[in-house]
Amino acid sequence: MSMSELRVVSVKIPEEVYKEMVLRVPEGERSNFIRDAIIEKLQKTPKPDKILELERRLGKLEAEFSQIRKYLADLELLTYERGQTNPHTFCLDELDHKIMDYLMHYKGATTPELAEYLKTNRWLILNRLRRIEKASRKQLGKPIIKYYAGEKAGKKKAWWINEELIEI
């Protein structure tokens, strides 16, 4: 800070603070002491232009983050809102897509039902369902399909599409 021109400031302080200053600071040094204390306190107080600079940088970060979110959404790796996930995002091949189509149409299915519909081994179907469940849980925080051993909609031990996550 430049001390080119000095200004006179009048300050009211509590009696105890004044007595403490009289004890600690010699008479000719008190003005310098008070000036230094004010300067020291000002150095610790953020300047308005610093705040503006931080706001500008934060705005820039938010814009960059939005751009990243857009890229991820374009790659179908990010869901914005409830009901906005494309379940086919987690399919690797035609078999996975057929499994997902069946589950979306019927809302749920047992492994043997899927195996019969797709004319393939039920163990292959089970492995695909588990992989889709795991991949979706990792990416979305919740699985896009869930296995439920109890009875639901007339089916026991079936896989169910998580309707709250998908586009209907």
Side-chain angles (χ1 to χ4, degrees):
M1 294 212 165
S2 160
M3 293 212 218
S4 57
E5 192 178 334
L6 299 176
R7 301 280 181 178
V8 175
V9 177
S10 171
V11 182
K12 291 184 179 184
I13 57 175
E15 181 72 23
E16 308 82 50
V17 174
Y18 177 76
K19 285 180 180 176
E20 192 67 32
M21 186 177 68
V22 168
L23 281 174
R24 294 184 186 198
V25 183
E27 196 170 331
E29 296 293 316
R30 290 181 192 148
S31 186
N32 288 340
F33 177 82
I34 293 169
R35 185 182 315 104
D36 292 344
I38 291 171
I39 291 169
E40 185 179 321
K41 182 72 174 182
L42 282 173
Q43 287 172 341
K44 293 179 182 176
T45 305
K47 296 178 185 177
D49 58 341
K50 277 280 194 206
I51 293 170
L52 289 173
E53 171 67 11
L54 288 172
E55 285 177 346
R56 187 188 63 74
R57 287 174 59 191
L58 183 60
K60 186 178 174 186
L61 284 172
E62 287 173 340
E64 290 172 354
F65 184 71
S66 292
Q67 192 65 33
I68 291 169
R69 286 181 63 114
K70 181 190 173 300
Y71 292 145
L72 289 173
D74 290 346
L75 294 170
E76 297 186 336
L77 294 174
L78 181 69
T79 343
Y80 280 112
E81 297 167 22
R82 176 186 164 112
Q84 294 293 315
T85 303
N86 177 355
H88 288 280
T89 303
F90 307 101
C91 299
L92 293 180
D93 59 15
E94 194 57 37
L95 181 63
D96 285 357
H97 285 288
K98 287 179 179 177
I99 291 170
M100 196 55 68
D101 287 340
Y102 190 94
L103 286 173
M104 287 178 66
H105 184 265
Y106 294 102
K107 308 295 182 219
T110 64
T111 310
E113 282 175 340
L114 284 165
E116 183 181 324
Y117 171 74
L118 297 167
K119 309 281 187 258
T120 189
N121 179 327
R122 73 182 188 92
W123 294 105
L124 175 64
I125 299 294
L126 180 61
N127 290 333
R128 295 300 184 97
L129 290 165
R130 285 179 176 160
R131 190 199 50 74
I132 292 169
E133 178 188 38
K134 186 178 176 184
S136 61
R137 175 177 285 136
K138 184 177 179 186
Q139 211 165 297
L140 302 173
K142 287 183 176 180
I144 198 86
I145 57 173
K146 292 188 264 189
Y147 177 75
Y148 180 64
E151 188 171 335
K152 179 177 171 181
K155 295 181 190 291
K156 287 183 182 175
K157 298 182 178 179
W159 288 85
W160 297 93
I161 194 93
N162 187 343
E163 294 182 55
E164 73 178 36
L165 292 178
I166 64 165
E167 299 168 346
I168 299 173

